[in-house]
Amino acid sequence: MAVLVPVFMWAAVPGLVAAAPQAAASASSPATAAKPAKPAAARTNNMTVRPSVAPLVNKPTVLGKPAAEPARGKAVLPTSPALSRTVAIPTTQAFCEQSVKRLPSVGPALCRGAQLTDNGGRSVQGQPFYQRDVVSPNPQLKVLVIGGIHGDELSSTSLVLHWIQHASQTPANVHWRFVPLVNPDGMLRDVPRRTNSRGVDLNRNFPTPNWDKEAPFYWKGRTRSDPRRYPGPKSLSEPESRWVHDEMERWKPDLIVSVHAPYGVLDFDGPTSPPQRLGRLYLDQVGIFPGSLGNFGGVHKRVPVVTIELPSAIRTPQEAEMRQMWLDLLRWMGERLGAN
């Protein structure tokens, strides 16, 4: 918390957010940080409510015990329009301008080189979703990589932009689809926040079986009605989660990689053996949640979902580490999914 408070202050002052990663770097260098302890929810084994489809990996559900979900070290952010506004990104140029100002380790050349295009998706406030497809001459897999589903996890969008560059430079028999920012309304506020502009946690809004009962029960019982984890009035109530859901139906990816922060672990849901590590992130399966993308995609749709939890929401790993994570992902895909 000692690092996050000043970051929120900087975020409210134009031009200062870009300096936040440097201010935080000395506090927790990725070269020396120890692997964080597993959140309390990850150690929960006393479960009474289970998903309607059995998990496909040896992974506990986290429903049933009325205790608060572990906070990610972030304060509950203001929601009043009078206190915060969202910057518009009607063009890729506007997106890059804001990315350079707000995101850690993102410069103009990196964002321009991503060659993003408007994919037609829109947020609650009408903000466009931008994507980049990198396609090999002989693709054997389709992989969807998304970042920024939680608006206050700035490093997730940065990593996706860096990985676009790596995909362009590293041959692989893959059709990549990168969407760096799925929650622009949350991230492009004066004060970024986890939820979208209607206060919904998009990663609790996917239509897992029994969502109508399990999602409200979990939110009220496990999180004690934490507004940062509100699952919404019904599943797929939000255009952002609907776009991800519909893209899965339209494009039918063989793998989904969802980038988050700041647990500093690697999570996995799905029908194959998970990767044991990506760079310095080690496998630590933290449980399944009603309405999460991992639960919906990995457990119920049988599409492997790799969830990357970066160690910090406000800074990226070093360049060499981001590349090693990328190479480890490619190696695992070749071994387990046939992306040779």
Side-chain angles (χ1 to χ4, degrees):
M1 293 302 298
V3 174
L4 294 179
V5 172
V7 170
F8 293 151
M9 295 172 62
W10 292 333
V13 181
L16 290 183
V17 173
Q22 287 75 15
S26 61
S28 53
S29 170
T32 59
K35 183 183 176 185
K38 181 185 286 189
R43 298 190 294 268
T44 300
N45 293 313
N46 181 21
M47 287 76 69
T48 58
V49 179
R50 298 189 181 276
S52 56
V53 176
L56 302 175
V57 294
N58 184 19
K59 182 173 186 178
T61 179
V62 293
L63 298 176
K65 185 177 179 181
E69 181 178 358
R72 293 188 173 188
K74 302 171 188 173
V76 176
L77 300 175
T79 59
S80 169
L83 296 178
S84 187
R85 63 185 179 85
T86 301
V87 176
I89 49 168
T91 65
T92 56
Q93 180 180 352
F95 173 85
C96 285
E97 289 173 355
Q98 291 303 316
S99 295
V100 171
K101 289 180 181 178
R102 296 165 178 266
L103 301 181
S105 305
V106 173
L110 178 72
C111 193
R112 288 195 303 268
Q115 300 178 22
L116 300 170
T117 59
D118 186 338
N119 67 16
R122 291 296 183 270
S123 68
V124 170
Q125 296 184 350
Q127 300 269 40
F129 300 159
Y130 295 109
Q131 79 178 39
R132 168 71 185 281
D133 281 30
V134 179
V135 189
S136 76
N138 183 31
Q140 299 174 4
L141 294 175
K142 293 190 288 187
V143 181
L144 177 64
V145 183
I146 63 174
I149 199 168
H150 290 145
D152 55 356
E153 297 170 1
L154 309 181
S155 60
S156 67
T157 295
S158 296
L159 181 73
V160 176
L161 289 171
H162 279 272
W163 275 10
I164 292 173
Q165 183 181 63
H166 291 316
S168 303
Q169 297 173 348
T170 311
N173 292 328
V174 177
H175 180 170
W176 299 97
R177 178 159 293 173
F178 297 93
V179 186
L181 180 54
V182 180
N183 183 7
D185 296 350
M187 188 172 289
L188 295 174
R189 295 168 64 91
D190 288 341
V191 180
R193 71 177 186 183
R194 175 184 175 97
T195 60
N196 74 349
S197 63
R198 289 201 284 236
V200 174
D201 182 343
L202 300 175
N203 204 34
R204 299 293 182 268
N205 194 239
F206 291 95
T208 50
N210 299 319
W211 188 96
D212 290 345
K213 293 181 179 180
E214 292 185 0
F217 171 82
Y218 177 87
W219 179 59
K220 294 174 183 177
R222 282 289 287 169
T223 78
R224 300 176 185 174
S225 301
D226 180 354
R228 298 179 68 249
R229 291 171 170 81
Y230 173 55
K234 62 180 181 179
S235 65
L236 296 181
S237 60
E238 309 308 300
E240 299 92 343
S241 54
R242 284 200 303 273
W243 181 86
V244 176
H245 171 272
D246 293 347
E247 186 70 1
M248 292 172 64
E249 295 296 317
R250 286 188 300 261
W251 196 54
K252 300 188 183 306
D254 301 293
L255 170 67
I256 298 172
V257 180
S258 182
V259 188
H260 290 265
Y263 280 169
V265 298
L266 177 65
D267 198 4
F268 180 82
D269 301 272
T272 189
S273 298
Q276 295 302 304
R277 62 180 292 181
L278 297 183
R280 293 193 178 100
L281 300 182
Y282 289 83
L283 183 67
D284 195 353
Q285 293 170 278
V286 299
I288 55 176
F289 306 91
S292 73
L293 178 58
N295 190 348
F296 172 68
V299 175
H300 298 290
K301 301 297 285 186
R302 301 183 65 86
V303 178
V305 179
V306 172
T307 301
I308 294 171
E309 284 279 353
L310 297 172
S312 170
I314 59 172
R315 62 177 180 82
T316 59
Q318 295 177 354
E319 177 60 36
E321 174 66 8
M322 288 189 284
R323 178 168 176 77
Q324 188 59 56
M325 292 168 63
W326 174 257
L327 294 176
D328 288 346
L329 178 65
L330 291 182
R331 185 179 300 109
W332 172 77
M333 288 168 53
E335 293 173 352
R336 296 296 179 181
L337 303 180
N340 297 317

